[in-house]
Amino acid sequence: MQGLALVIMGEEVVVFGVWVSPYSCRVETALRVKGVPYRYIEEDLGNKSPLLLKYDPIHEKVPVLVHNGNPIAESLVILEYIDETWPQGFPILPKDPYERATACFWSKFIDDKCMPAITQACWGEGEASDKAVEEATELLMFLENELIKEKRLFGGERIGMVDIAANTV
Ligand SMILES: N[C@@H](CCC(=O)N[C@@H](CS)C(=O)NCC(=O)O)C(=O)O
């Protein structure tokens, strides 16, 4: 198994992900916009690697970013880490504390409210699915309204945290 043989050391940046995972895509997008080279390891969620289980023993989920041997789990947490660790170039989060808090709020809104409703709308059955379609539509309207306020992108003229998070919905 490639994960077992992998030695993570030095300045190596490694992403454990699944190509269809919207959460993994966030991390790859952020590293790419920052221009940070990374190694990608595709996980099999039906047979998770020992390294994934070691690096995220709490959730046992992708994505996990491992930087200098330090694992970080949870995609939104990883995005913040990437922004702070590689501050050069493309800012993912605004510097202004209020704008930053607002970006974190909407990113969390996407994960806590939109994602479950969309998942249920797509994969649920019967009445529950119909209800989820209504709920998801209503929730996405909130996002849409924010987008109108924020010009072309949630991040203004350049993509930012909310754009990267919302790219999955
Ligand atoms: N809140 C997590 C969600 C990550 C997540 O749900 N990952 C899924 C793949 S899309 C996973 O690893 N599932 C494996 C499992 O549930 O056992 C994040 O933002 O990183």
Side-chain angles (χ1 to χ4, degrees):
M1 168 70 216
Q2 67 183 130
L4 262 184
L6 183 76
V7 179
I8 294 166
M9 53 189 289
E11 281 299 307
E12 202 166 19
V13 178
V14 183
V15 178
F16 290 78
V18 168
W19 73 272
V20 285
S21 165
Y23 305 104
S24 301
C25 290
R26 289 175 178 177
V27 174
E28 290 198 87
T29 303
L31 289 170
R32 284 178 191 194
V33 296
K34 287 281 188 184
V36 177
Y38 63 94
R39 188 193 308 197
Y40 176 78
I41 295 179
E42 177 75 11
E43 278 290 329
D44 171 2
L45 293 183
N47 180 25
K48 294 171 187 171
S49 74
L51 272 183
L52 177 67
L53 302 179
K54 175 183 158 196
Y55 287 136
D56 182 10
I58 307 289
H59 305 292
E60 301 184 348
K61 287 185 177 184
V62 294
V64 171
L65 177 83
V66 185
H67 180 217
N68 291 339
N70 295 323
I72 305 114
E74 283 294 324
S75 61
L76 295 181
V77 176
I78 297 172
L79 294 189
E80 283 199 66
Y81 179 84
I82 290 172
D83 203 30
E84 284 174 17
T85 305
W86 294 283
Q88 71 280 1
F90 207 102
I92 292 174
L93 273 160
K95 291 282 165 278
D96 175 80
Y98 182 71
E99 285 179 24
R100 196 179 172 93
T102 304
C104 290
F105 171 84
W106 286 112
S107 303
K108 198 163 155 35
F109 169 79
I110 289 166
D111 277 9
D112 294 351
K113 305 289 272 184
C114 301
M115 293 295 245
I118 291 168
T119 304
Q120 181 66 25
C122 292
W123 307 108
E125 283 173 11
E127 213 176 296
S129 171
D130 295 343
K131 206 161 167 274
V133 169
E134 270 175 42
E135 193 194 345
T137 308
E138 203 176 303
L139 290 168
L140 290 174
M141 287 305 293
F142 281 111
L143 268 186
E144 181 87 7
N145 288 340
E146 282 308 300
L147 196 51
I148 292 162
K149 268 196 245 160
E150 292 277 344
K151 304 182 210 157
R152 216 160 61 83
L153 297 157
F154 290 108
E157 287 306 306
R158 308 175 73 173
I159 73 164
M161 174 101 152
V162 188
D163 299 287
I164 294 173
N167 191 34
T168 59
V169 296

